[in-house]
Coordinates of all heavy atoms in Angstrom, one line a residue:
F1 N 1.6 -76.0 -58.4 CA 2.4 -77.2 -57.9 C 2.9 -77.9 -59.2 O 2.3 -78.0 -60.2 CB 1.7 -78.0 -56.9 CG 0.5 -78.8 -57.3 CD1 0.8 -80.1 -57.8 CD2 -0.7 -78.2 -57.4 CE1 -0.4 -80.8 -58.3 CE2 -1.8 -79.0 -57.9 CZ -1.6 -80.3 -58.3
T2 N 4.0 -78.7 -58.9 CA 4.5 -79.6 -59.9 C 4.4 -81.0 -59.4 O 4.8 -81.2 -58.2 CB 6.0 -79.2 -60.2 OG1 6.1 -77.9 -60.6 CG2 6.6 -80.1 -61.3
L3 N 4.0 -82.0 -60.3 CA 3.9 -83.4 -59.9 C 4.9 -84.1 -60.7 O 5.0 -84.0 -62.0 CB 2.5 -83.9 -60.2 CG 2.1 -85.3 -60.0 CD1 2.0 -85.3 -58.5 CD2 0.9 -85.6 -60.7
Y4 N 5.8 -84.9 -60.0 CA 6.7 -85.7 -60.8 C 7.1 -87.0 -60.0 O 6.8 -87.1 -58.8 CB 8.1 -84.9 -61.0 CG 8.7 -84.6 -59.8 CD1 9.9 -85.4 -59.3 CD2 8.5 -83.5 -59.0 CE1 10.5 -85.1 -58.1 CE2 9.1 -83.1 -57.8 CZ 10.2 -83.9 -57.4 OH 10.9 -83.6 -56.3
P5 N 7.6 -88.1 -60.6 CA 7.6 -88.2 -62.1 C 6.2 -88.6 -62.6 O 5.3 -89.1 -61.9 CB 8.5 -89.5 -62.2 CG 8.4 -90.3 -61.0 CD 8.0 -89.2 -59.9
N6 N 6.1 -88.3 -63.8 CA 4.8 -88.6 -64.5 C 5.0 -89.0 -65.9 O 5.5 -88.3 -66.8 CB 3.9 -87.3 -64.5 CG 2.5 -87.6 -65.1 OD1 2.1 -88.8 -65.2 ND2 1.8 -86.6 -65.2
P7 N 4.9 -90.4 -66.2 CA 4.3 -91.4 -65.4 C 5.2 -91.8 -64.2 O 6.4 -91.6 -64.2 CB 4.0 -92.5 -66.4 CG 5.0 -92.4 -67.4 CD 5.3 -90.9 -67.5
T8 N 4.5 -92.5 -63.2 CA 5.3 -93.1 -62.0 C 5.1 -94.5 -61.9 O 4.0 -95.0 -62.5 CB 4.8 -92.3 -60.8 OG1 5.6 -92.8 -59.7 CG2 3.4 -92.6 -60.5
Q9 N 6.0 -95.1 -61.1 CA 5.8 -96.6 -60.8 C 5.3 -96.7 -59.4 O 5.1 -97.8 -58.9 CB 7.1 -97.3 -60.9 CG 7.4 -97.4 -62.4 CD 8.8 -98.2 -62.7 OE1 9.5 -98.5 -61.7 NE2 8.9 -98.7 -63.9
G10 N 5.1 -95.7 -58.7 CA 4.5 -95.6 -57.3 C 4.8 -94.4 -56.5 O 3.8 -93.9 -55.8
L11 N 6.0 -94.1 -56.4 CA 6.3 -92.8 -55.7 C 6.0 -91.6 -56.5 O 6.4 -91.4 -57.6 CB 7.8 -92.8 -55.3 CG 8.2 -93.8 -54.3 CD1 9.7 -93.7 -53.9 CD2 7.4 -93.7 -52.9
V12 N 5.2 -90.7 -55.8 CA 4.8 -89.5 -56.5 C 5.3 -88.3 -55.7 O 5.0 -88.2 -54.4 CB 3.2 -89.4 -56.6 CG1 2.8 -88.0 -57.3 CG2 2.8 -90.5 -57.5
N13 N 5.9 -87.3 -56.2 CA 6.3 -86.2 -55.5 C 5.6 -84.9 -55.9 O 5.3 -84.8 -57.2 CB 7.8 -85.9 -55.8 CG 8.7 -87.1 -55.3 OD1 8.9 -87.3 -54.1 ND2 9.1 -87.9 -56.3
I14 N 5.3 -84.1 -55.0 CA 4.6 -82.9 -55.3 C 5.5 -81.7 -54.8 O 5.9 -81.7 -53.7 CB 3.3 -82.7 -54.5 CG1 2.4 -83.8 -54.8 CG2 2.6 -81.3 -54.9 CD1 1.1 -83.7 -54.0
L15 N 5.9 -80.8 -55.8 CA 6.8 -79.7 -55.5 C 5.9 -78.5 -55.5 O 5.2 -78.2 -56.5 CB 7.8 -79.6 -56.6 CG 8.9 -78.5 -56.3 CD1 9.6 -78.6 -55.0 CD2 9.8 -78.5 -57.5
F16 N 5.9 -77.7 -54.3 CA 5.0 -76.6 -54.3 C 5.9 -75.3 -54.6 O 7.0 -75.1 -54.2 CB 4.5 -76.5 -52.8 CG 3.6 -77.6 -52.4 CD1 4.0 -78.7 -51.8 CD2 2.2 -77.6 -52.9 CE1 3.2 -79.7 -51.4 CE2 1.4 -78.6 -52.6 CZ 1.8 -79.7 -51.9
N17 N 5.2 -74.5 -55.4 CA 5.8 -73.2 -55.9 C 5.9 -72.1 -54.8 O 6.8 -71.3 -54.8 CB 5.1 -72.7 -57.2 CG 5.0 -73.7 -58.2 OD1 5.9 -74.5 -58.4 ND2 3.9 -73.7 -59.0
E18 N 4.9 -72.1 -54.0 CA 4.8 -71.2 -53.0 C 5.4 -71.6 -51.6 O 5.2 -72.8 -51.3 CB 3.4 -70.6 -52.8 CG 2.7 -70.0 -53.9 CD 1.3 -69.6 -53.7 OE1 0.8 -69.7 -52.6 OE2 0.7 -69.3 -54.7
E19 N 6.0 -70.8 -50.8 CA 6.4 -71.2 -49.6 C 5.2 -71.4 -48.6 O 4.3 -70.6 -48.5 CB 7.3 -70.1 -48.9 CG 8.7 -70.2 -49.4 CD 9.7 -69.3 -48.5 OE1 9.6 -69.5 -47.3 OE2 10.4 -68.6 -49.1
S20 N 5.1 -72.5 -48.0 CA 4.1 -72.9 -47.1 C 4.6 -74.1 -46.2 O 5.4 -74.9 -46.6 CB 2.9 -73.4 -47.9 OG 1.9 -73.7 -47.0
E21 N 4.2 -74.0 -45.0 CA 4.5 -75.1 -44.0 C 3.5 -76.2 -44.0 O 3.8 -77.3 -43.6 CB 4.6 -74.5 -42.6 CG 5.7 -73.5 -42.4 CD 5.8 -73.0 -41.0 OE1 5.1 -73.5 -40.1 OE2 6.7 -72.1 -40.7
S22 N 2.3 -76.0 -44.5 CA 1.3 -77.0 -44.6 C 0.3 -76.7 -45.8 O 0.2 -75.5 -46.2 CB 0.5 -77.2 -43.3 OG -0.2 -76.0 -43.1
I23 N -0.3 -77.7 -46.2 CA -1.4 -77.6 -47.2 C -2.6 -78.2 -46.6 O -2.6 -79.2 -45.9 CB -1.0 -78.4 -48.5 CG1 0.2 -77.8 -49.1 CG2 -2.1 -78.6 -49.5 CD1 0.1 -76.5 -49.7
S24 N -3.8 -77.6 -46.9 CA -5.0 -78.1 -46.3 C -5.4 -79.5 -46.7 O -5.8 -80.3 -45.7 CB -6.2 -77.2 -46.9 OG -6.1 -75.8 -46.5
G25 N -5.1 -80.0 -47.9 CA -5.4 -81.3 -48.2 C -4.9 -81.8 -49.6 O -4.8 -80.9 -50.5
V26 N -4.5 -83.1 -49.7 CA -4.2 -83.7 -51.0 C -5.0 -84.9 -51.1 O -5.2 -85.8 -50.2 CB -2.7 -84.1 -50.9 CG1 -2.3 -84.9 -52.1 CG2 -1.7 -83.0 -50.7
Y27 N -5.7 -85.0 -52.4 CA -6.5 -86.1 -52.6 C -6.2 -86.7 -54.0 O -6.1 -85.8 -55.0 CB -8.0 -85.5 -52.6 CG -8.4 -84.7 -51.4 CD1 -8.2 -83.3 -51.4 CD2 -8.8 -85.4 -50.2 CE1 -8.4 -82.6 -50.2 CE2 -9.1 -84.7 -49.2 CZ -8.9 -83.3 -49.0 OH -9.1 -82.6 -47.9
I28 N -6.3 -88.0 -54.0 CA -5.9 -88.6 -55.4 C -7.2 -89.5 -55.7 O -7.7 -90.3 -54.8 CB -4.7 -89.5 -55.3 CG1 -3.5 -88.5 -55.0 CG2 -4.6 -90.3 -56.6 CD1 -2.2 -89.2 -55.1
Y29 N -7.7 -89.5 -56.9 CA -8.8 -90.2 -57.4 C -8.5 -91.0 -58.5 O -7.6 -90.7 -59.3 CB -9.9 -89.1 -58.0 CG -10.3 -88.1 -56.9 CD1 -9.6 -87.0 -56.8 CD2 -11.5 -88.4 -56.2 CE1 -10.0 -86.0 -55.8 CE2 -11.9 -87.4 -55.2 CZ -11.1 -86.2 -55.1 OH -11.6 -85.3 -54.1
D30 N -9.1 -92.2 -58.7 CA -8.8 -93.1 -59.8 C -9.7 -92.7 -60.9 O -10.5 -91.7 -60.7 CB -9.0 -94.5 -59.5 CG -10.4 -95.0 -59.0 OD1 -11.4 -94.2 -59.1 OD2 -10.6 -96.0 -58.4
A31 N -9.7 -93.3 -62.0 CA -10.5 -92.9 -63.2 C -12.0 -93.0 -63.0 O -12.8 -92.4 -63.6 CB -10.1 -93.8 -64.4
K32 N -12.3 -93.8 -61.9 CA -13.8 -94.0 -61.6 C -14.3 -92.8 -60.7 O -15.5 -92.8 -60.4 CB -14.1 -95.4 -61.0 CG -13.8 -96.5 -61.9 CD -14.0 -97.9 -61.2 CE -13.6 -99.1 -62.0 NZ -13.7 -100.3 -61.3
G33 N -13.4 -92.1 -60.2 CA -13.8 -91.1 -59.3 C -13.6 -91.4 -57.8 O -14.1 -90.6 -57.0
S34 N -13.2 -92.6 -57.5 CA -13.1 -93.0 -56.1 C -11.8 -92.4 -55.5 O -10.8 -92.4 -56.2 CB -13.0 -94.6 -56.1 OG -14.2 -95.2 -56.6
V35 N -11.8 -92.0 -54.3 CA -10.7 -91.5 -53.6 C -9.8 -92.7 -53.2 O -10.2 -93.6 -52.6 CB -11.0 -90.8 -52.3 CG1 -9.8 -90.3 -51.6 CG2 -11.9 -89.6 -52.7
V36 N -8.5 -92.7 -53.7 CA -7.6 -93.8 -53.3 C -6.6 -93.3 -52.3 O -5.7 -94.2 -51.7 CB -6.8 -94.4 -54.6 CG1 -7.9 -95.0 -55.5 CG2 -6.0 -93.3 -55.3
F37 N -6.5 -92.0 -52.2 CA -5.6 -91.4 -51.1 C -6.0 -90.0 -50.7 O -6.5 -89.3 -51.6 CB -4.1 -91.2 -51.8 CG -3.1 -90.6 -50.8 CD1 -2.3 -91.4 -50.1 CD2 -3.0 -89.2 -50.8 CE1 -1.4 -90.9 -49.2 CE2 -2.1 -88.6 -50.0 CZ -1.2 -89.5 -49.2
S38 N -6.0 -89.9 -49.5 CA -6.4 -88.5 -48.9 C -5.5 -88.2 -47.8 O -5.3 -89.1 -46.9 CB -7.8 -88.4 -48.7 OG -8.2 -89.2 -47.6
K39 N -5.1 -87.0 -47.6 CA -4.4 -86.5 -46.4 C -4.7 -85.1 -46.3 O -4.6 -84.3 -47.2 CB -2.9 -86.8 -46.6 CG -2.1 -86.4 -45.4 CD -0.8 -87.1 -45.3 CE 0.1 -86.6 -44.1 NZ 0.0 -87.6 -43.1
E40 N -5.1 -84.7 -44.9 CA -5.4 -83.3 -44.7 C -4.3 -82.8 -43.8 O -3.6 -83.5 -43.1 CB -6.7 -83.3 -44.1 CG -7.8 -83.7 -45.0 CD -9.3 -83.5 -44.4 OE1 -9.4 -83.3 -43.2 OE2 -10.2 -83.7 -45.2
N41 N -4.2 -81.5 -43.8 CA -3.2 -80.8 -43.0 C -1.7 -81.4 -43.3 O -1.1 -81.8 -42.3 CB -3.6 -80.8 -41.5 CG -4.9 -80.1 -41.2 OD1 -5.1 -79.1 -41.8 ND2 -5.7 -80.8 -40.4
V42 N -1.4 -81.4 -44.5 CA -0.1 -81.9 -45.0 C 1.0 -81.1 -44.6 O 1.1 -79.9 -44.9 CB -0.1 -82.2 -46.5 CG1 1.2 -82.7 -47.0 CG2 -1.3 -83.1 -46.9
Q43 N 2.0 -81.6 -43.9 CA 3.2 -80.9 -43.5 C 4.2 -80.9 -44.7 O 4.5 -82.0 -45.2 CB 3.8 -81.4 -42.3 CG 2.9 -81.3 -41.0 CD 2.6 -79.9 -40.7 OE1 3.4 -79.0 -40.7 NE2 1.3 -79.8 -40.6
I44 N 4.6 -79.7 -45.1 CA 5.5 -79.6 -46.2 C 6.9 -79.5 -45.8 O 7.3 -78.7 -45.0 CB 5.1 -78.3 -47.1 CG1 3.7 -78.3 -47.5 CG2 6.0 -78.2 -48.3 CD1 3.3 -79.6 -48.4
E45 N 7.9 -80.3 -46.3 CA 9.3 -80.2 -46.0 C 10.0 -79.8 -47.3 O 9.9 -80.5 -48.3 CB 9.7 -81.5 -45.5 CG 9.1 -81.9 -44.2 CD 9.7 -83.2 -43.6 OE1 10.8 -83.6 -44.1 OE2 8.9 -83.8 -42.8
Q46 N 10.7 -78.6 -47.3 CA 11.6 -78.2 -48.3 C 10.7 -78.1 -49.6 O 11.1 -78.6 -50.7 CB 12.8 -79.1 -48.5 CG 13.7 -79.0 -47.4 CD 14.9 -79.9 -47.6 OE1 15.0 -80.7 -48.4 NE2 15.9 -79.7 -46.7
H47 N 9.5 -77.5 -49.5 CA 8.6 -77.3 -50.6 C 8.0 -78.5 -51.3 O 7.5 -78.5 -52.4 CB 9.2 -76.4 -51.7 CG 9.7 -75.1 -51.3 ND1 8.9 -74.1 -51.2 CD2 10.9 -74.6 -50.9 CE1 9.5 -73.0 -50.8 NE2 10.7 -73.3 -50.6
S48 N 8.1 -79.8 -50.7 CA 7.7 -81.0 -51.2 C 7.0 -81.9 -50.4 O 7.1 -81.8 -49.2 CB 8.9 -81.7 -52.1 OG 9.8 -82.2 -51.0
F49 N 6.3 -82.9 -50.9 CA 5.6 -83.8 -50.3 C 5.6 -85.1 -51.2 O 5.5 -85.0 -52.3 CB 4.1 -83.4 -49.9 CG 3.2 -84.4 -49.4 CD1 3.4 -84.9 -48.0 CD2 2.2 -85.0 -50.1 CE1 2.6 -85.8 -47.5 CE2 1.4 -86.0 -49.6 CZ 1.6 -86.3 -48.3
Q50 N 5.8 -86.3 -50.5 CA 5.9 -87.5 -51.3 C 4.8 -88.5 -50.8 O 4.6 -88.7 -49.7 CB 7.3 -88.1 -51.1 CG 7.5 -89.4 -52.0 CD 8.9 -90.0 -51.9 OE1 9.3 -90.4 -50.8 NE2 9.7 -89.8 -52.9
M51 N 4.3 -89.3 -51.8 CA 3.3 -90.3 -51.6 C 3.7 -91.5 -52.2 O 4.4 -91.5 -53.3 CB 1.9 -89.9 -52.1 CG 1.4 -88.6 -51.6 SD 0.1 -87.9 -52.6 CE 1.0 -87.4 -54.1
D52 N 3.4 -92.7 -51.6 CA 3.6 -94.0 -52.2 C 2.2 -94.6 -52.6 O 1.4 -94.9 -51.9 CB 4.3 -94.9 -51.2 CG 4.8 -96.2 -51.7 OD1 4.4 -96.5 -53.0 OD2 5.2 -97.0 -50.9
L53 N 2.2 -94.7 -53.9 CA 0.9 -95.3 -54.5 C 1.2 -96.7 -55.1 O 0.5 -97.2 -56.0 CB 0.3 -94.3 -55.6 CG 0.0 -92.9 -55.1 CD1 -0.4 -92.1 -56.2 CD2 -1.1 -93.1 -53.9
S54 N 2.3 -97.3 -54.8 CA 2.7 -98.6 -55.4 C 1.8 -99.7 -55.2 O 1.7 -100.7 -55.9 CB 4.0 -99.0 -54.9 OG 4.2 -99.1 -53.5
N55 N 0.8 -99.6 -54.2 CA -0.2 -100.6 -54.1 C -1.4 -100.4 -55.0 O -2.3 -101.3 -55.0 CB -0.7 -100.7 -52.6 CG 0.4 -101.2 -51.7 OD1 1.2 -102.0 -52.1 ND2 0.5 -100.7 -50.5
E56 N -1.5 -99.3 -55.7 CA -2.6 -99.0 -56.6 C -2.4 -99.7 -57.9 O -1.3 -99.9 -58.4 CB -2.8 -97.5 -56.7 CG -3.2 -96.8 -55.4 CD -4.4 -97.2 -54.8 OE1 -5.3 -97.7 -55.4 OE2 -4.4 -97.3 -53.5
A57 N -3.5 -99.9 -58.6 CA -3.4 -100.5 -59.9 C -2.9 -99.5 -61.0 O -3.1 -98.4 -60.8 CB -4.8 -101.0 -60.4
P58 N -2.3 -100.0 -62.0 CA -1.8 -99.1 -63.1 C -3.1 -98.4 -63.8 O -4.1 -99.0 -63.7 CB -1.2 -100.0 -64.1 CG -0.8 -101.3 -63.3 CD -1.8 -101.4 -62.3
G59 N -2.8 -97.2 -64.1 CA -4.0 -96.5 -64.8 C -3.8 -94.9 -64.6 O -2.7 -94.5 -64.2
L60 N -4.8 -94.3 -65.0 CA -4.9 -92.8 -65.0 C -5.5 -92.4 -63.6 O -6.5 -92.9 -63.1 CB -5.9 -92.4 -66.1 CG -5.8 -90.9 -66.4 CD1 -4.5 -90.5 -66.8 CD2 -6.8 -90.6 -67.5
Y61 N -4.8 -91.4 -63.0 CA -5.2 -90.8 -61.7 C -5.3 -89.3 -61.8 O -4.6 -88.7 -62.7 CB -4.3 -91.3 -60.6 CG -4.3 -92.7 -60.3 CD1 -3.7 -93.7 -61.1 CD2 -5.1 -93.2 -59.3 CE1 -3.8 -95.1 -60.8 CE2 -5.3 -94.6 -58.9 CZ -4.6 -95.4 -59.7 OH -4.7 -96.8 -59.5
F62 N -6.0 -88.8 -60.9 CA -6.2 -87.3 -60.8 C -5.8 -86.9 -59.3 O -6.3 -87.6 -58.5 CB -7.6 -86.9 -61.1 CG -8.2 -87.4 -62.4 CD1 -8.8 -88.7 -62.4 CD2 -7.9 -86.8 -63.6 CE1 -9.3 -89.3 -63.6 CE2 -8.3 -87.3 -64.8 CZ -9.0 -88.5 -64.9
I63 N -5.2 -85.8 -59.2 CA -4.7 -85.3 -57.9 C -5.4 -83.9 -57.8 O -5.4 -83.1 -58.7 CB -3.2 -85.3 -57.8 CG1 -2.9 -84.8 -56.4 CG2 -2.5 -84.4 -58.8 CD1 -1.4 -85.0 -56.0
K64 N -5.8 -83.6 -56.6 CA -6.4 -82.3 -56.2 C -5.7 -81.9 -54.9 O -5.6 -82.6 -53.9 CB -7.9 -82.4 -55.9 CG -8.5 -81.0 -55.6 CD -10.0 -81.1 -55.6 CE -10.6 -81.9 -54.4 NZ -12.0 -81.6 -54.3
V65 N -5.2 -80.6 -55.0 CA -4.4 -80.1 -53.9 C -5.2 -78.9 -53.5 O -5.5 -78.0 -54.3 CB -3.0 -79.7 -54.3 CG1 -2.3 -79.0 -53.1 CG2 -2.3 -81.0 -54.7
V66 N -5.5 -78.8 -52.2 CA -6.3 -77.7 -51.6 C -5.5 -76.9 -50.6 O -4.9 -77.6 -49.8 CB -7.7 -78.2 -51.0 CG1 -8.4 -77.1 -50.4 CG2 -8.5 -79.1 -51.9
N67 N -5.4 -75.6 -50.7 CA -4.8 -74.8 -49.7 C -5.7 -73.6 -49.5 O -5.6 -72.6 -50.3 CB -3.4 -74.4 -50.1 CG -2.6 -73.9 -49.0 OD1 -3.0 -74.0 -47.8 ND2 -1.5 -73.2 -49.3
G68 N -6.4 -73.6 -48.5 CA -7.3 -72.5 -48.1 C -8.3 -72.5 -49.2 O -9.1 -73.4 -49.5
N69 N -8.5 -71.3 -50.0 CA -9.4 -71.2 -51.0 C -8.8 -71.4 -52.4 O -9.4 -71.4 -53.4 CB -10.0 -69.8 -50.9 CG -9.0 -68.7 -51.3 OD1 -7.8 -68.9 -51.3 ND2 -9.5 -67.5 -51.4
K70 N -7.5 -71.9 -52.4 CA -6.9 -72.2 -53.7 C -7.0 -73.8 -54.0 O -6.8 -74.5 -53.0 CB -5.4 -71.8 -53.7 CG -5.2 -70.4 -53.6 CD -3.7 -70.1 -53.6 CE -3.3 -68.6 -53.4 NZ -1.9 -68.5 -53.4
V71 N -7.3 -74.2 -55.1 CA -7.5 -75.5 -55.6 C -6.7 -75.8 -56.8 O -7.0 -75.0 -57.8 CB -9.0 -76.0 -55.7 CG1 -9.0 -77.4 -56.2 CG2 -9.8 -75.8 -54.4
G72 N -5.9 -76.8 -56.9 CA -5.1 -77.1 -58.1 C -5.3 -78.6 -58.3 O -5.5 -79.4 -57.5
S73 N -5.4 -79.0 -59.7 CA -5.5 -80.4 -60.0 C -4.6 -80.7 -61.2 O -4.3 -79.8 -62.0 CB -6.9 -80.7 -60.3 OG -7.5 -79.9 -61.3
K74 N -4.2 -81.9 -61.3 CA -3.4 -82.4 -62.4 C -3.8 -83.9 -62.7 O -4.3 -84.6 -61.7 CB -1.9 -82.3 -62.1 CG -1.4 -80.9 -62.0 CD 0.0 -80.8 -62.0 CE 0.5 -79.4 -61.6 NZ 0.8 -78.6 -62.9
T75 N -3.4 -84.4 -63.8 CA -3.7 -85.8 -64.2 C -2.3 -86.5 -64.3 O -1.3 -85.9 -64.7 CB -4.4 -85.9 -65.5 OG1 -5.6 -85.2 -65.4 CG2 -4.6 -87.3 -65.9
F76 N -2.2 -87.8 -63.8 CA -0.9 -88.5 -63.9 C -1.3 -89.9 -64.2 O -2.3 -90.4 -63.9 CB 0.0 -88.3 -62.7 CG -0.5 -88.9 -61.5 CD1 0.0 -90.1 -61.0 CD2 -1.4 -88.2 -60.7 CE1 -0.5 -90.7 -59.9 CE2 -1.8 -88.7 -59.4 CZ -1.3 -89.9 -59.0
S77 N -0.2 -90.8 -64.7 CA -0.4 -92.1 -65.0 C 0.5 -92.9 -64.0 O 1.6 -92.5 -63.7 CB 0.1 -92.4 -66.4 OG -0.7 -91.7 -67.3
L78 N -0.1 -94.1 -63.6 CA 0.7 -95.0 -62.7 C 1.0 -96.2 -63.6 O 0.0 -96.8 -64.1 CB -0.2 -95.3 -61.5 CG 0.4 -96.3 -60.6 CD1 1.6 -95.6 -59.9 CD2 -0.6 -96.6 -59.4
V79 N 2.1 -96.6 -63.8 CA 2.5 -97.6 -64.7 C 3.4 -98.8 -63.9 O 4.0 -98.4 -62.9 CB 3.3 -97.2 -65.9 CG1 2.5 -96.3 -66.8 CG2 4.6 -96.5 -65.5
R80 N 3.4 -99.8 -64.4 CA 4.2 -100.9 -63.8 C 5.2 -101.4 -64.9 O 5.0 -101.5 -66.0 CB 3.4 -102.1 -63.3 CG 2.5 -101.7 -62.2 CD 3.2 -101.9 -60.8 NE 2.2 -101.7 -59.8 CZ 2.0 -100.5 -59.2 NH1 2.6 -99.5 -59.5 NH2 1.1 -100.5 -58.2

């Protein structure tokens, strides 16, 4: 998957490379390892999913995307 924009000011888009109607789960962690966003059984529209993290503090975040037995992760920055 591709994550953009990175860095972001709040809106984060995930673009999925494979065709799928849903993803098992999307989880976002802050630098301390706390979950700040989680959504299971994510419905995918036109290969993408958008999240609004504008209420989170600026800093470094980690995203984990799970689809069945496949797990992908990336790091991104939230800036103001």
Side-chain angles (χ1 to χ4, degrees):
F1 67 94
T2 304
L3 180 76
Y4 67 95
N6 187 9
T8 182
Q9 291 186 342
L11 290 179
V12 177
N13 299 286
I14 304 173
L15 181 63
F16 296 96
N17 302 329
E18 297 177 8
E19 277 194 47
S20 180
E21 293 181 7
S22 66
I23 296 295
S24 302
V26 175
Y27 309 93
I28 297 183
Y29 303 86
D30 63 15
K32 296 177 186 176
S34 299
V35 176
V36 297
F37 178 91
S38 68
K39 184 161 177 100
E40 295 183 350
N41 300 316
V42 177
Q43 297 302 308
I44 306 303
E45 295 181 21
Q46 298 180 346
H47 299 280
S48 66
F49 174 68
Q50 185 178 68
M51 299 163 290
D52 185 0
L53 302 176
S54 57
N55 291 329
E56 299 300 328
L60 190 62
Y61 290 83
F62 306 93
I63 184 167
K64 180 169 75 170
V65 175
V66 179
N67 193 18
N69 62 353
K70 295 180 183 178
V71 178
S73 61
K74 295 194 186 261
T75 303
F76 68 98
S77 297
L78 183 64
V79 296
R80 296 272 188 266

